Amino acid sequence: MIEHELLFLGLLMEGPKHGYEIKRQIEEELFPFVGLKIKSIYYPLRKMEHLGLINKDVGREGKWPEKYVYSITAKGKKIFDHLITESFISIERPYFSLDLSLYFLDYVDKKIAQRRLRARVIFLKRIKRDLENLKKASKSPKKHLAIILAHDVELVDAEISSISKLIELLN
């Protein structure tokens, strides 16, 4: 839930938002960059409202149904500052599904392993191409999104390099 709290509070740091606006921003702007997908935005918003991190105001325009507008509270800003600081200094070892397969590599025919690893490299190169295309196509004025993409491309490059070396070792 910490990532979700950081996500929602960070979006509300920009200013008050309707629930639909929050959902749209997550799906259209953030998901392509950070991969966080939220099934429902209303449960975490309700929970943060209960904790006093955000306020929910009800508004109505003309004959349209009521809309809820969410805004961050002073307590929410304090929690956001804490969460963002923790996020910057938190270092966890990344785990890849491949790691488990590599552990049992001795039980796999080397030719089959090489073929599967080559397929993985092809897939990783597609991911890299998609990230680079996303970077080129991004019209967002937010510089930090380009930083995220550059970081992701470097990580994919590192995995391509590592897998390529492993394929050579299996010869």
Side-chain angles (χ1 to χ4, degrees):
M1 185 65 170
I2 290 172
E3 282 183 334
H4 291 109
E5 285 178 354
L6 179 59
L7 172 66
F8 288 111
L9 294 174
L11 290 173
L12 292 174
M13 288 291 286
E14 297 174 348
K17 291 181 176 22
H18 295 284
Y20 176 78
E21 187 179 0
I22 293 170
K23 184 173 177 57
R24 184 205 55 77
Q25 195 170 1
I26 291 169
E27 290 174 352
E28 294 176 11
E29 187 175 326
L30 287 165
F31 178 72
F33 295 95
V34 296
L36 271 176
K37 196 161 190 170
I38 309 292
K39 291 182 182 180
S40 169
I41 65 163
Y42 297 102
Y43 174 75
L45 287 172
R46 208 171 24 253
K47 186 173 179 182
M48 287 186 288
E49 180 187 12
H50 179 72
L51 294 171
L53 306 179
I54 63 173
N55 287 324
K56 177 174 76 171
D57 295 316
V58 180
R60 175 177 279 174
E61 296 178 19
K63 295 180 181 180
W64 297 101
E66 290 181 338
K67 286 187 178 182
Y68 299 111
V69 178
Y70 299 90
S71 59
I72 192 165
T73 63
K75 181 179 178 182
K77 288 178 183 179
K78 186 175 180 181
I79 295 296
F80 173 79
D81 287 341
H82 171 74
L83 292 174
I84 198 105
T85 299
E86 286 295 314
S87 178
F88 276 126
I89 61 174
S90 174
I91 298 176
E92 296 178 20
R93 179 200 184 279
Y95 292 94
F96 301 94
S97 57
L98 178 66
D99 291 345
L100 189 56
S101 299
L102 296 178
Y103 184 82
F104 296 111
L105 194 58
D106 289 343
Y107 305 112
V108 178
D109 179 86
K110 287 183 182 186
K111 297 291 180 195
I112 292 171
Q114 284 178 317
R115 212 170 33 246
R116 291 179 181 156
L117 290 169
R118 282 188 194 103
R120 183 177 182 95
V121 168
I122 290 168
F123 183 68
L124 287 166
K125 287 179 179 178
R126 283 188 205 143
I127 291 172
K128 179 181 175 181
R129 184 190 66 231
D130 290 345
L131 289 169
E132 289 169 340
N133 288 338
L134 186 58
K135 186 175 180 178
K136 289 176 192 171
S138 177
K139 297 174 185 170
S140 176
K142 297 180 178 177
K143 292 178 185 175
H144 57 274
L145 296 179
I147 293 168
I148 294 168
L149 283 172
H151 180 249
D152 290 351
V153 167
E154 288 176 16
L155 291 174
V156 172
D157 273 339
E159 186 169 352
I160 290 170
S161 175
S162 177
I163 298 298
S164 297
K165 289 175 188 172
L166 177 59
I167 292 169
E168 290 300 317
L169 284 174
L170 291 174
N171 279 330

